[in-house]
């Protein structure tokens, strides 16, 4: 876009979020489906956070990272989905500029943190499987906190750069955002100035936030599978393959959709493609993560059984 003359430029004070659909019947179906998924996401992740805090058997590096992931998913979905649900029920789709900027920063920061944290989790599993005798020394409490806090810090600090570069541009209309929340690449398309430098900054940040962690994850799981193939019996190999396959399926959905949003050319894409892609990493993967990573584990099932047993004893007394 070419910059307009200052004398003709007006500043946008709000954006209009088009949403996922303009059809009333479809909106009602989407509201029911997204609300059910959101509530399941909250319930599953709150359960994980509570179990990890309450049960000493879950005070291990793996569950330390999983509790961070669950807390992250609660925040990630809660900064976008409630507003999307409200807009599905109301005619007013407007969002003030400042609130849009805040949502854009929070969603980008939390999504970036998740991308980096998943790499830390994969590294933890690699050390546990490939270096079992050194695991306690390598993944001590200090190392776990350093990896977790580094993930949060990198996600939030790099997002400051991306959002600041976007907000320095003028927005003079149109103000219709073809999305269900304020996401940086879509909002950036509405800027009334040359966006090539900002797009380059966003792409460079995405290389660090997405491609490097993805490389760590793929390398970690590759080495895990190689180690398992060398030393496990057939039953153990089947279980390991099943676990790795389910983890990598969720990783593929999350990274694949986010990469297609932040690292592809913006020209020539279908008008509704971005918001349909975003449903996968905003709605789908946060609901799948508790099931894939945590709730199937025998330690978590044991902690849940103990919690239910204690609740039953309380009722009897």
């Amino acid at each position: 876009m070419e910059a307009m003359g200052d004398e003709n430029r007006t500043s946008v004070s709000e954006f209009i979020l088009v949403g996922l659909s303009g059809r009333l019947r479809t909106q009602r179906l989407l509201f029911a489906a997204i609300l059910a998924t959101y509530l399941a996401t909250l319930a599953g992740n709150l359960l994980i956070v509570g179990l990890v805090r309450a049960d000493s058997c879950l005070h291990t590096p793996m569950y330390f990272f999983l509790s961070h992931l669950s807390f992250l998913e609660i925040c990630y979905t809660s900064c976008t989905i409630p507003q999307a649900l409200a807009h599905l029920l109301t005619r007013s789709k407007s969002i003030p500029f400042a609130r849009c900027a805040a949502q854009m920063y929070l969603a980008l920061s939390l999504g970036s943190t998740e991308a980096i944290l998943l790499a830390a989790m994969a590294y933890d599993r690699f050390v546990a499987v490939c270096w079992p005798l050194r695991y306690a020394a390598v993944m001590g409490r200090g190392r776990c906190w350093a990896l977790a806090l580094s993930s949060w810090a990198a996600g939030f600090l790099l997002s400051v750069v991306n959002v600041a570069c976007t907000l320095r541009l003028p927005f003079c209309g149109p103000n219709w955002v073809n999305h269900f929340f304020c996401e940086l690449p879509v909002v950036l398309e509405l800027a009334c100035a040359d966006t090539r430098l900002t797009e380059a900054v966003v792409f460079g940040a995405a290389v660090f936030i997405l491609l490097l962690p993805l490389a760590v994850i793929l390398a970690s799981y590759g080495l895990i599978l190689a180690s398992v193939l060398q030393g496990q019996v057939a039953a153990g190999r089947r279980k390991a393959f099943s676990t790795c396959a389910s983890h990598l399926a969720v990783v593929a959905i999350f990274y694949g959709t986010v990469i297609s949003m932040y690292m592809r050319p913006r020209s020539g894409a279908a008008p509704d493609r971005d918001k349909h892609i975003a449903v996968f990493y905003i709605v789908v993967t946060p609901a799948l993560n508790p099931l894939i990573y945590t709730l199937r584990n025998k330690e978590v099932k044991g902690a849940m059984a103990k919690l239910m047993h204690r609740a039953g004893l309380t009722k009897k007394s």
Side-chain angles (χ1 to χ4, degrees):
M1 294 182 187
E2 293 183 359
M4 297 174 63
D6 290 341
E7 65 278 4
N8 295 326
R9 180 179 294 153
T10 57
S11 179
V12 168
S13 61
E14 65 177 19
F15 290 105
I16 308 298
L17 295 171
V18 174
L20 287 167
S21 175
R23 298 178 179 177
L24 184 59
R25 180 178 174 80
T26 305
Q27 287 178 351
R28 290 172 178 171
L29 292 173
L30 285 170
F31 178 85
I34 294 173
L35 177 62
T37 306
Y38 176 56
L39 293 177
T41 300
L42 290 182
N45 285 297
L46 284 171
L47 176 62
I48 291 167
V49 172
L51 287 174
V52 172
R53 288 182 61 86
D55 197 312
S56 60
C57 295
L58 301 182
H59 293 176
T60 64
M62 182 177 79
Y63 289 105
F64 170 84
F65 289 116
L66 286 171
S67 65
H68 273 264
L69 179 64
S70 292
F71 177 72
L72 177 61
E73 297 289 28
I74 292 168
C75 298
Y76 190 31
T77 54
S78 295
C79 78
T80 53
I81 293 180
Q83 176 201 264
L85 289 171
H87 282 185
L88 285 170
L89 293 180
T90 61
R91 292 188 177 184
S92 175
K93 314 291 185 184
S94 63
I95 179 172
F97 186 94
R99 189 171 152 199
C100 179
Q103 184 183 63
M104 183 165 55
Y105 173 68
L106 284 174
L108 184 61
S109 298
L110 293 165
S112 300
T113 301
E114 179 172 348
I116 301 169
L117 185 63
L118 288 172
M121 291 167 56
Y123 173 74
D124 169 69
R125 293 297 81 209
F126 158 73
V127 177
V129 174
C130 299
W131 300 341
L133 299 180
R134 299 171 56 188
Y135 181 62
V138 174
M139 296 303 297
R141 185 175 180 83
R143 175 68 60 84
C144 291
W145 274 107
L147 288 171
L149 292 178
S150 297
S151 301
W152 285 91
F156 275 75
L157 290 175
L158 285 171
S159 297
V160 168
V161 177
N162 287 338
V163 174
C165 287
T166 301
L167 295 182
R168 71 178 178 82
L169 298 170
F171 291 88
C172 50
N175 65 339
W176 287 76
V177 180
N178 191 15
H179 211 311
F180 59 92
F181 75 100
C182 289
E183 187 158 27
L184 189 146
V186 184
V187 174
L188 182 59
E189 292 179 346
L190 302 180
C192 302
D194 190 336
T195 61
R196 285 175 295 181
L197 177 59
T198 302
E199 289 172 357
V201 171
V202 172
F203 184 89
V207 170
F208 180 82
I209 293 170
L210 297 173
L211 295 188
L212 290 182
L214 181 58
V216 171
I217 291 171
L218 294 178
S220 297
Y221 278 106
L223 292 170
I224 288 170
L225 288 174
S227 177
V228 167
L229 287 172
Q230 291 175 0
Q232 290 280 355
V233 295
R237 283 200 293 268
R238 283 196 297 270
K239 183 179 179 182
F241 274 119
S242 174
T243 301
C244 288
S246 60
H247 288 192
L248 289 174
V250 176
V251 164
I253 294 172
F254 177 77
Y255 283 93
T257 52
V258 176
I259 286 171
S260 69
M261 173 68 81
Y262 284 85
M263 301 191 70
R264 66 172 174 80
R266 304 302 302 172
S267 59
D272 295 336
R273 184 175 184 269
D274 290 337
K275 58 188 179 185
H276 294 158
I277 288 173
V279 169
F280 286 95
Y281 55 84
I282 295 294
V283 180
V284 176
T285 55
L288 291 177
N289 281 339
L291 296 172
I292 298 299
Y293 284 106
T294 310
L295 296 179
R296 300 187 307 166
N297 298 349
K298 62 180 181 179
E299 298 91 348
V300 173
K301 291 178 180 177
M304 290 174 63
K306 283 191 285 185
L307 184 65
M308 293 171 66
H309 182 65
R310 266 181 263 166
L313 289 176
T314 303
K315 289 178 182 178
K316 289 178 183 179
S317 60

